[in-house]
Every structure is written in structure tokens, then in C-alpha cells.
Amino acid sequence: MVIESDDERSGAGGTRNELSGQVAGNVVQAGVIQHLTFAAQEPPVAEIPRQLPPEPRDFVNRVRELDELDRLLDEGGDGSAPLVAVVNGLGGVGKSALSRRWAHRVRERFTDGQLYASLGDLRHGGGVAVSDVLGGFLRALGVREAGIPADPSERAALFRSRTADLRLLILLDDVEHAAQVTPVLPASASGVVVVTSHSRLGELVVTGAVPVPLAPLDEEQGVRLLAGVLGEERVHAEPEAAGELARLCGGLPVALRVAAARLAQRRGRPIARLVTELTDERRRLERLAVGGKTIVEAVFETACRALPPGAGRLYRLLGAVPVADLSVQAVQVVAGTGERETEESLELLLEANLLEETAQERYRFHDLVRLHAARLAEREEAPGEREAALGRMARWYRACAMAADRAVTRSRLRLAPAPEPVEPEVTFSSARQALDWLDGERGNMLAVLRLAERAGWDDVVWQTVEALWVLHHSRKHYADWIEAGRLGTLAAGRLGNRAAEARMRNQTARAFVELGELGPADEELRLARSLAVESGDRRLEAAVLESLGQVELARGAFDAAIGHFTEALAVNEALGRTRGAGLQSYHLGLTHTAAGRPREALEAFERARGLIGAEDETSRAKIDIELGLVHRMLGRPQEIVGRVTEAARTMRARGVPLKEARAWEILAGLTADLGDERGSEEHLRRAIAVYLDLGKTAKADELGGRLPPPAPEDS
């Protein structure tokens, strides 16, 4: 279209418009126009956006995480891109509260404004939500509606143009995927973007984002949060109940606030009453509700519903097993899938913060998440699936315990058949490694034994308990020892397996002997001996005779003890069990030592050492330790110091701390007799350190009284 005035061409007044060329759209042909006025509209004045939501109330602690965000801001980046922080953690852990708190602390440093969006409120399909966020941000930055492109990529390009060189703080709350963040990054190295997500958003971290993981509150912080809602006076009136409530809520702010809201609605209700209600794990989640809404459970539902099918199944099956934490191999057993598939599902659960990694390749649920996973397993997994997962776990732990038992002691009395092959296989390169593995899994073992006993998997129970003897006897976890023995006894009794029941009762009795509870030990051994005789297994008879000798030795009835040990020795010799005969000679040596007969003890110990053989390093080291005491009684310390020193090192290497401590203690006496006061003190301090590690403070204090007093300080 051409617009020109008539006087430009002919000098006449007025304006004429003509159409020429190709014309599209609506056209008005007006002929001659006398006057035409163009009015340019003033561009809108953009206000500085201040979109941050209000600061959270009753915010507690999080000093470390706030400092981490401060450090990120103070240090800045490399000047090429905005700084990005990913605040991630379990749903309800307080990610939004932390990010808002920090944003308000630093907002004045962002002179071009602060933008905020909650993707959870906008969530209706990935890219659409991001496009909506971009549209809202562009409007906040002064772009008219007509100037906002419909195409998401064009919107992102316009956003980059409008934010170039701006000092902006952008807070993106409740992000699910890294793809929801990338289009919203400003084109300014002066900008900072804080993202909160229940996922770790590893793709953002790979491109330079800084992860800020958020853990649950500890008990003290949880109590402070309760006090902020309920008032200091009410919480201080019931400090123990308040602490227990914080623990039952697992330190999750969302759970603590729900619990506090329930109490705030009924001012006369004691905190202890709510604690009692929440103690029942089966109903804890449904009781963490306000107005009939199970708020806490809904948080976990949102996270787990986004999981792919394989990860969702693993989440539910892990909830069905009664263990605190699991190795990656145990997770594979529960899943019943291959290594690669299991690891992929594990990564998804970790990424969603539904599972946490507690140490190298060990995984656990938060307490409340575990309850949610268990509820989902009951609702959505068929009983056969749950039982199959539990059965795989029970059989796997049995096989692992048996393998560890054989790694510690190659030859000893075992009633159970050789372990069946399992996948994944766990192998041990040393006795110390095997004992450490058993020690690390002992809580899980006991939980699985309880479950297997309730399920009636009796062979699994007693065979696992038999294999655990090496752990219990070496590491002295007496409560576990006795409970496992009781479970094994019940299982063997139901099977009518007299030999296995005798074995279980004998192992349990040994724990009572070491604890000095000789009455219960007598009762167990009376039944064990009868069952052993009925079974016709003379190896068992010898084992029970040995334990009867231990009871009499503990009573100080030395002759009676010698009688039992001698009878047990004879049975072992008749059966051709050389190692068994050697162990009875060792016990005879202990009895003669206690009775003050060092020459007889020396003879018994040396005989035991010859019978057992050099391949059983642990047993020979035990003998050498006791020979140290005998040589001291005979006034010949110089002949045995080297062997006792080597025995101490063997016990340390093989992970038998109680025997190691006894070796250092005996060495302290030997070196003192040789006039080596400095060496004696060093050995004594080593013994004290091991006893303290074992929690045996009374014994450590006793030895501490033998140390020389500290030298006075120079004035």
C-alpha cells in the first residue's frame, strides 16, 4: 500500500491512498483522506517483580544448607552462566521452606527482582507447565500478552533476551525433571536459580548445578519446631514425650506440623497420648492426618506414583521385608531380577529420594517412607509375590551365613547340609572379612529369622542359627545370641529334629554361661543332653559335655569340670575327631589354670596345640594366650612373650576383639615381670582401648587402675 499526499505530486491539498501489488487481508479503500494522524503508544513501564511467597513460620536450624547457598552466591560462577542450586530431599523434608527462607534473606541483592513458580501447582504435562511458567515470567518482566509467543521455544528465546544482563533470583519449586528447568534459565551470569525437587536432578548437576541435599531434622530440631507451634511451655512440660514424637515423625517437618496441628486443636490433650497412638506402626501414617486428610501419606504417594513399573515394584517389595538397611546384593535378592535391572530401579528410587544410601552400596528407607512402602505392598502386591521375596531373602541369608561360617572355621561340628547355591553369591577372602560381614548384617539376620520362624520355614531358621555360632561366640552379642537360639530351638522342635534342637539348646546355654546365668544354662543343657542321647549323635553328646564342663568351671567346681571335659575328650577320640579332642584339652588347660595347677595346665595346653594343628590359627592363638598366663605362673615369662604377641596380632587380624584384649592384658603382666615398664604400660593401654571399643567400661576401668599416675606438670 502506498500513501502519499496530492500536493507532493500536484501541489493540491489532501492525501490519497492507492493499492498496488499483492494485498492480503481486509482492506478499506477510502479515496481521498484530508487528514491522517499517527499516534505512537508509549511502551509499558516494567515493574521490578517481587514474586517470592511469604517466609515460612517456625523455621528451625538448616544452618549448614543456608550457609551452602550463601557460599554459592558469594563465590559466584565462572561468569558464563547463571548459578543453579538444586535443593533436593524426601517429600515433606522442608525443601520449599528452606529455599524461601534463603531467598528472603538475600532478595535485596537481586536488584532486578525475584521470580517464583510452583510447578506442582501448574503440573499438567511437562512442557506445557514450563511454557506457562515462561509466560508468567515474561508478563512479570513487562511483556504484553500480545507480544508473548505461543510456541514454547520462542517463549524461551524471548525470556533469554529479556533477562540478558539482569540480576534476577528465580525460585522454581517442586520440579520433577531437569527439562522443566533448562528453558527457564536466564541469559545472565548475574542470575541465580534455586530449584527444589524430591529428585536429585542429576542432569542439572552434570551441567554445573550445585546439589544441596536436605536431610530430616534431628530430635532437638524437631522438638524446636513443635515448640514453635505449640509453645515452649507445653513442650517443656513433656520433654520426653516431645522428643519421642519428633522421633516417631522421623524428623520430617511435614509430619511434625501435622502432629502439632492435631495437638493444637486439643489444647488439653497430652503430647504423650499422641505418642501412644503413633507407636503402632501399622496405623501411624493414617493417624498423621488433619481434618481426615492423610497429608504425610499423600506426600509419599505423589513421589512413588511417578515411578516406572519396575522401580515401583521394587519400592513395594522392599517395604515388605523387615530389615533396616540392605546391601545391593540383598536388594537384588528381594527384587528377584538381574543385576542391571536391579541397579536401574535402585537409581530411580535414589533419584526420587524415596531411598537413601547410608554407606557404600547400602540402602535404607526413612522410617515413615518404609511404613508407606509396606502399606503399598499389602495393598498392591499379591501375597504370593510378597512371600516369594521374603523366602528368597531368608534362603539367601542362610547361604551367606553358612559361607561365612566356613570361612571362619573350616572344620567344626555342623549338622546342616552344605549350603545351596544362591545368586548373587557372596564370598569371603578371610575370616576377618566373614566375621565383619556377619556383624554388619546381624540386625537383618535377626529380623529375617523372626519372620522365617513366623512363616514356619523351620529348616531355614535352625540352619541359619547354627551358622551364626561363629559370630556370637567371637563378637559376644549376647541378646542376639540368646534370641536366635530361642528361635532355632522352636523351629527344630516343630520339625521333631532332636539333634538340631539339642544343637540349638547347647548354643543358647553357652551364652548363659558367659553371662554368668548358670540356672538357665543348666536347664538348657539338661534338655540338650537328653535330646543328644535320643538322636544317637555322639558328636552332639561331646558338645553338650563340653558345655556342662563350662558351667562347672564357672561355678569353681574344678573337679566336676575336669570330669565333663575328660569325658568329652574321650568321645572325640573314639570318633577320631582330632580337633574336638584338642578343644577339650584346651578346656582342661583352662580349668587347671583356674585351679592354680600351672604344670597340669601347661601339659594340657601343649597337647591341645598339637592336636588342633597349625591350619587353625584362631584356636592355636587362643591356646598361646592362655599359655602366657601359665608361663607367668611358672615364672618363665621370657619363653612365651613372642607367641602371645603373635597371638594378639592374629586375633586383631581375624576380628576377635575380646581375645585380642586378653592377649594384651596378659602381655602387660609378662613384660612387667621382665622389667619392661614402658612395654607393659603400652600393652595395658592397648587392652584398655579394645575393652572400651567393646563397651566393657568396668574392665577398662579395672585395668586403668594399674597404669602409673601421670607425671606432674612443670610449674
Side-chain angles (χ1 to χ4, degrees):
M1 182 176 72
V2 176
I3 301 177
E4 62 178 11
S5 64
D6 285 337
D7 56 358
E8 288 176 347
R9 297 195 320 175
S10 62
T15 301
R16 181 175 58 83
N17 70 332
E18 293 181 352
L19 299 178
S20 62
Q22 186 174 358
V23 179
N26 296 323
V27 177
V28 176
Q29 180 69 40
V32 177
I33 302 172
Q34 296 298 326
H35 300 285
L36 184 62
T37 302
F38 290 93
Q41 187 174 8
E42 291 293 325
V45 178
E47 296 183 359
I48 295 177
R50 310 261 183 205
Q51 295 187 341
L52 294 179
E55 280 197 72
R57 295 177 57 194
D58 309 315
F59 187 86
V60 297
N61 204 283
R62 301 303 192 189
V63 173
R64 184 188 64 79
E65 293 84 0
L66 291 170
D67 287 347
E68 175 70 10
L69 290 169
D70 285 342
R71 184 195 60 77
L72 173 67
L73 180 57
D74 292 339
E75 292 181 357
D78 59 8
S80 63
L83 297 169
V84 182
V86 179
V87 180
N88 68 90
L90 181 63
V93 80
K95 302 180 293 293
S96 297
L98 170 75
S99 60
R100 292 178 190 180
R101 175 73 166 211
W102 182 78
H104 276 278
R105 281 184 14 171
V106 300
R107 63 183 178 182
E108 298 306 323
R109 297 174 64 174
F110 294 91
T111 52
D112 295 310
Q114 308 93 41
L115 299 172
Y116 170 82
S118 171
L119 273 74
D121 295 338
L122 297 170
R123 189 167 292 132
H124 49 274
V128 178
V130 176
S131 183
D132 290 346
V133 170
L134 284 168
F137 284 178
L138 287 168
R139 283 186 287 272
L141 293 171
V143 180
R144 290 185 174 278
E145 192 70 41
I148 298 177
D151 181 75
S153 61
E154 292 181 11
R155 284 192 182 191
L158 180 58
F159 180 71
R160 290 193 296 273
S161 296
R162 294 300 295 239
T163 57
D165 302 323
L166 293 185
R167 189 166 179 79
L168 280 173
L169 171 63
I170 301 177
L171 178 54
L172 299 175
D173 210 357
D174 201 9
V175 169
E176 279 193 318
H177 311 292
Q180 295 172 324
V181 177
T182 305
V184 194
L185 296 179
S188 170
S190 300
V192 172
V193 181
V194 177
V195 177
T196 73
S197 178
H198 67 265
S199 297
R200 297 180 179 183
L201 302 183
E203 292 177 46
L204 284 181
V205 175
V206 167
T207 58
V210 177
V212 183
L214 202 58
L217 300 171
D218 62 28
E219 184 176 314
E220 179 184 354
Q221 295 163 356
V223 170
R224 284 176 55 199
L225 191 153
L226 291 171
V229 179
L230 301 174
E232 297 282 350
E233 183 178 348
R234 189 171 179 187
V235 168
H236 286 168
E238 297 181 81
E240 292 184 4
E244 182 64 9
L245 180 57
R247 190 191 67 77
L248 290 171
C249 290
L252 280 187
V254 65
L256 287 161
R257 292 183 189 281
V258 168
R262 286 192 57 186
L263 291 167
Q265 290 170 353
R266 299 188 179 183
R267 296 185 177 275
R269 173 171 290 188
I271 297 175
R273 180 171 173 182
L274 180 57
V275 167
T276 301
E277 292 179 12
L278 297 180
T279 300
D280 183 357
E281 287 191 346
R282 294 168 300 176
R283 302 191 62 188
R284 187 179 303 165
L285 284 175
E286 65 187 61
R287 285 170 173 163
L288 283 171
V290 177
K293 296 181 179 180
T294 54
I295 297 171
V296 178
E297 188 168 13
V299 169
F300 306 145
E301 289 281 346
T302 300
C304 74
R305 293 304 177 195
L307 295 171
R313 174 180 175 272
L314 179 59
Y315 177 78
R316 295 187 296 273
L317 289 180
L318 289 177
V321 298
V323 295
D325 69 300
L326 288 167
S327 65
V328 66
Q329 295 95 338
V331 172
Q332 184 180 337
V333 170
V334 173
T337 55
E339 181 179 356
R340 182 175 179 180
E341 184 179 348
T342 301
E343 289 182 352
E344 288 175 354
S345 294
L346 260 179
E347 280 300 316
L348 289 168
L349 293 179
L350 289 170
E351 175 70 17
N353 280 302
L354 288 169
L355 203 64
E356 60 186 62
E357 193 168 4
T358 59
Q360 187 176 9
E361 295 191 323
R362 292 197 74 83
Y363 306 91
R364 72 180 297 276
F365 280 130
H366 180 279
D367 286 348
L368 294 181
V369 178
R370 175 178 56 81
L371 297 180
H372 176 257
R375 284 164 67 91
L376 271 191
E378 289 181 6
R379 292 201 303 259
E380 299 183 14
E381 288 295 325
E385 279 292 303
R386 298 199 305 271
E387 183 174 344
L390 293 168
R392 287 193 298 271
M393 171 169 274
R395 292 190 297 274
W396 183 76
Y397 269 120
R398 174 182 61 180
C400 291
M402 287 178 164
D405 172 29
R406 282 167 167 76
V408 174
T409 307
R410 293 176 187 155
S411 175
R412 74 176 184 91
L413 172 61
R414 294 182 178 95
L415 300 182
E420 60 186 23
V422 293
E423 290 293 338
E425 183 183 8
V426 175
T427 59
F428 306 99
S429 59
S430 68
R432 174 64 180 265
Q433 185 191 27
L435 279 173
D436 286 346
W437 187 92
L438 288 171
D439 216 345
E441 296 285 352
R442 66 187 181 90
N444 290 348
M445 289 271 197
L446 195 55
V448 170
L449 282 173
R450 292 173 187 142
L451 178 144
E453 193 275 329
R454 290 194 299 270
W457 301 333
D458 294 324
D459 276 326
V460 172
V461 174
W462 78 259
Q463 290 169 11
T464 305
V465 174
E466 181 185 47
L468 288 175
W469 165 258
V470 292
L471 169 68
H472 295 148
H473 189 250
S474 297
R475 299 289 172 91
K476 313 300 183 186
H477 301 299
Y478 292 113
D480 290 7
W481 187 347
I482 291 169
E483 183 178 355
R486 297 291 196 208
L487 294 171
T489 299
L490 288 171
R494 279 195 298 266
L495 289 169
N497 188 331
R498 290 175 172 78
E501 185 179 351
R503 182 74 161 146
M504 297 296 98
R505 290 188 180 278
N506 186 59
Q507 289 188 191
T508 307
R510 293 293 287 271
F512 286 126
V513 172
E514 293 194 14
L515 288 169
E517 299 178 20
L518 303 184
D522 275 332
E523 179 63 19
E524 291 290 346
L525 291 173
R526 180 184 65 80
L527 294 168
R529 188 171 191 180
S530 175
L531 289 163
V533 170
E534 288 181 37
S535 73
D537 191 330
R538 299 213 69 202
R539 299 172 304 164
L540 275 174
E541 286 188 62
V544 175
L545 286 167
E546 176 188 316
S547 297
L548 288 167
Q550 294 277 2
V551 171
E552 298 303 335
L553 177 57
R555 287 197 172 103
F558 303 125
D559 290 342
I562 287 172
H564 288 307
F565 292 138
T566 301
E567 188 176 354
L569 188 152
V571 172
N572 277 289
E573 286 181 331
L575 294 172
R577 300 182 72 243
T578 305
R579 182 177 181 275
L583 288 176
Q584 303 318 311
S585 291
Y586 167 73
H587 293 307
L588 285 168
L590 291 175
T591 309
H592 287 305
T593 302
R597 299 192 285 259
R599 295 192 181 280
E600 290 88 338
L602 178 64
E603 181 182 347
F605 283 135
E606 291 293 359
R607 183 185 181 200
R609 204 170 189 274
L611 287 169
I612 285 177
E615 71 279 358
D616 190 344
E617 290 183 357
T618 303
S619 295
R620 284 172 68 94
K622 283 165 54 177
I623 295 167
D624 285 342
I625 291 168
E626 300 306 326
L627 276 170
L629 183 56
V630 170
H631 276 263
R632 191 178 181 206
M633 293 169 69
L634 292 170
R636 302 189 311 217
Q638 69 280 357
E639 297 180 15
I640 198 66
V641 167
R643 277 162 61 179
V644 180
T645 302
E646 187 60 33
R649 292 170 180 159
T650 297
M651 291 306 183
R652 172 177 285 276
R654 295 177 74 85
V656 189
L658 198 60
K659 291 296 183 183
E660 180 198 347
R662 180 161 174 78
W664 295 127
E665 182 183 352
I666 289 173
L667 272 170
L670 290 168
T671 49
D673 290 350
L674 291 171
D676 183 1
E677 293 182 5
R678 179 175 295 182
S680 177
E681 181 179 341
E682 180 184 345
H683 296 319
L684 207 54
R685 291 190 185 280
R686 287 186 175 184
I688 291 169
V690 178
Y691 282 128
L692 286 174
D693 285 344
L694 291 169
K696 295 184 176 296
T697 54
K699 182 65 174 177
D701 290 344
E702 174 196 329
L703 296 185
R706 291 164 49 184
L707 288 171
E713 295 182 4
D714 293 336
S715 57

